[in-house]
Amino acid sequence: MTLAKAYAAQSAEKPLAPFTIERREPGAEDVEIKILYCGVCHSDIHTARNEWGFTVYPSVPGHEIVGKVTRVGNNVSKFKVGDTVGVGCFVDSCMHCANCEADLEQYCENGHTQTYNSLSQDKSYTTLGGYSSHIVVTQHFVLSVSDKLPLEKVAPLLCAGITTYSPLRHWGVKAGHKLAVVGLGGLGHMAVKLGASMGAEVTVLSRSAGKAKDAAELGAKHFKLTTDKDTMAELANSFDFILDTVSAQHDYNEYLSLLKTDGVMIVVGAPPQPTPVSAFPLILGRRSLVGSLVGGLKETQEMLDYCAEHNITSDVEVININQINEAYERTLAGDVHYRFVIDMATL
Ligand code: NAP
Ligand code: ZN
């Protein structure tokens, strides 16, 4: 066992503060990683503040981890000391169910172990995430990261990148498709970059007028304000796909009517509150409303390699760890351009 410096939430009401945690000694299959950067995902906020209702305290968030390997176990063949690596949203799964065998560990039928706030496979402890000095992860759940790209800009790919890449690939988004991205935050800005790189004509649907210029620079062809009462009528039956990244409750029905016949609305945003869905926008146009969770390990590696090849990274604002509570407030206010990333050297 080693001690790791970390930042933790002790309750839903308290700000995150310094805390010391324990990490296991690397076992035969394990990789120990010194964390260099950790992105700040809106899921971290939902969890730290118990908005989804299942947070175990103390809670150390963080699942967009980039760092250097410091130790490896005897059976580790994929990595050696000094390698640059990443860890995303999962650190374990059963490894033998149909989904794990199909490289879909995120849908493990026996319950995956997320990087934080999740039971270990032997159910003996709750995981603690990347707002910490180091982490120990079994090699299957560790990704190779190219040293060609700035590492602080790579960290958000481990969640925001794969969460948007995976559904775009699964539903075959490509040139000729019209794609709307709802919400221009951490996930949304990656969806714009990735969707545009795959050839789709991207429209950003946002409630923030100030983001129009950024949307164009990120690769969007069009920008429409959802607070403008004419927008929804004007865009009816326009899109092949809608990728919804919004973090707070909103009306899915309004967006469904923007799909063409056979169009697909993919929900990745995870508002804590449920939203009623009417049958009518689905029936009238044979439309689909679907969801997607992050991505498997094989696909995450494919995404990292794709981003390295196409020079795609996240637009980030690097912060010191003691600015984390302020960063949460700014994220909630929509004032993030477009991902906060913690420089772990400041821990
Ligand atoms: P974020 O950076 O805060 O971006 C969310 C964006 O949603 C905001 O920038 C804002 O964009 C829009 N928005 C926020 N509140 C809104 C409201 N009340 N009404 C309308 N629009 C609103 O968050 P993120 O890190 O991208 O995460 C987004 C969501 O995805 C979170 O719920 C997170 O938990 C979830 N998530 C899901 C997965 C998955 O596997 N499915 C993975 C990671 C994260 P505009 O200002 O442009 O409107
Ligand atoms: Zn995330």
Side-chain angles (χ1 to χ4, degrees):
M1 190 264 287
T2 58
L3 294 179
K5 284 190 190 177
Y7 254 57
Q10 298 289 347
S11 75
E13 295 75 30
K14 289 210 182 104
L16 274 71
F19 187 62
T20 302
I21 60 171
E22 293 176 358
R23 297 292 192 197
R24 66 177 183 264
E25 285 296 324
E29 295 289 331
D30 283 339
V31 178
E32 182 190 68
I33 301 157
K34 177 187 177 192
I35 302 175
L36 298 176
Y37 295 102
C38 185
V40 178
C41 178
H42 207 117
S43 302
D44 302 355
I45 306 176
H46 290 312
T47 302
R49 301 191 174 183
N50 198 23
E51 291 171 359
W52 289 327
F54 47 78
T55 303
V56 176
Y57 294 99
S59 174
V60 178
H63 58 202
E64 293 184 337
I65 297 167
V66 168
K68 293 275 183 193
V69 174
T70 46
R71 287 196 284 173
V72 294
N74 288 337
N75 294 347
V76 173
S77 50
K78 270 172 79 184
F79 303 101
K80 59 181 191 313
V81 171
D83 284 355
T84 307
V85 293
V87 177
C89 300
F90 305 99
V91 289
D92 216 349
S93 67
C94 84
M95 305 290 286
H96 56 71
C97 71
N99 282 338
C100 285
E101 292 202 335
D103 297 308
L104 296 169
E105 298 89 345
Q106 74 274 36
Y107 304 121
C108 174
E109 290 167 9
N110 297 307
H112 55 235
T113 299
Q114 298 201 7
T115 305
Y116 61 78
N117 197 50
S118 195
L119 264 187
S120 61
Q121 287 295 301
D122 68 4
K123 302 193 174 14
S124 67
Y125 64 95
T126 299
T127 52
L128 299 166
Y131 298 2
S132 56
S133 53
H134 63 279
I135 191 166
V136 179
V137 179
T138 188
Q139 63 174 332
H140 181 77
F141 290 83
V142 179
L143 289 312
S144 288
V145 168
S146 162
D147 281 310
K148 276 195 288 182
L149 299 174
L151 297 183
E152 69 278 17
K153 291 167 172 271
V154 170
L157 302 181
L158 275 308
C159 172
I162 184 60
T163 301
T164 50
Y165 179 91
S166 181
L168 294 176
R169 284 293 191 225
H170 180 77
W171 277 280
V173 175
K174 59 180 192 299
H177 285 144
K178 292 193 176 176
L179 166 70
V181 174
V182 190
L184 195 62
L187 267 56
H189 94 291
M190 288 312 308
V192 173
K193 289 191 186 205
L194 290 166
S197 79
M198 293 170 193
E201 183 179 318
V202 181
T203 299
V204 168
L205 301 177
S206 168
R207 59 183 179 151
S208 308
K211 295 180 181 173
K213 186 167 162 281
D214 293 346
E217 283 169 11
L218 292 165
K221 273 259 162 52
H222 317 280
F223 180 90
K224 296 285 177 187
L225 264 185
T226 49
T227 48
D228 184 340
K229 67 174 177 25
D230 298 329
T231 294
M232 295 298 174
E234 190 191 309
L235 294 177
N237 307 306
S238 297
F239 301 109
D240 300 284
F241 296 98
I242 296 175
L243 190 62
D244 183 336
T245 75
V246 173
S247 52
Q249 193 180 32
H250 57 293
D251 184 3
Y252 295 143
N253 302 291
E254 281 194 301
Y255 293 97
L256 284 168
S257 65
L258 308 188
L259 290 170
K260 295 180 189 173
T261 304
D262 289 329
V264 181
M265 173 160 163
I266 307 155
V267 172
V268 290
Q273 309 80 7
T275 302
V277 174
S278 162
F280 290 99
L282 296 170
I283 296 171
L284 298 167
R286 202 164 55 188
R287 300 174 175 117
S288 305
L289 177 63
V290 301
S292 183
L293 178 69
V294 199
L297 272 295
K298 185 170 174 228
E299 192 173 45
T300 304
Q301 190 62 60
E302 176 191 305
M303 177 275 312
L304 287 168
D305 298 344
Y306 175 89
C307 288
E309 189 187 328
H310 293 84
N311 203 20
I312 296 172
T313 55
S314 175
D315 289 16
V316 305
E317 183 174 336
V318 177
I319 58 166
N320 294 346
I321 187 80
N322 63 13
Q323 294 172 287
I324 187 66
N325 295 299
E326 188 192 323
Y328 278 15
E329 293 307 323
R330 284 184 54 197
T331 301
L332 289 166
D335 177 22
V336 46
H337 311 277
Y338 276 88
R339 198 57 138 187
F340 290 110
V341 173
I342 309 163
D343 177 355
M344 278 305 156
T346 64
L347 188 64

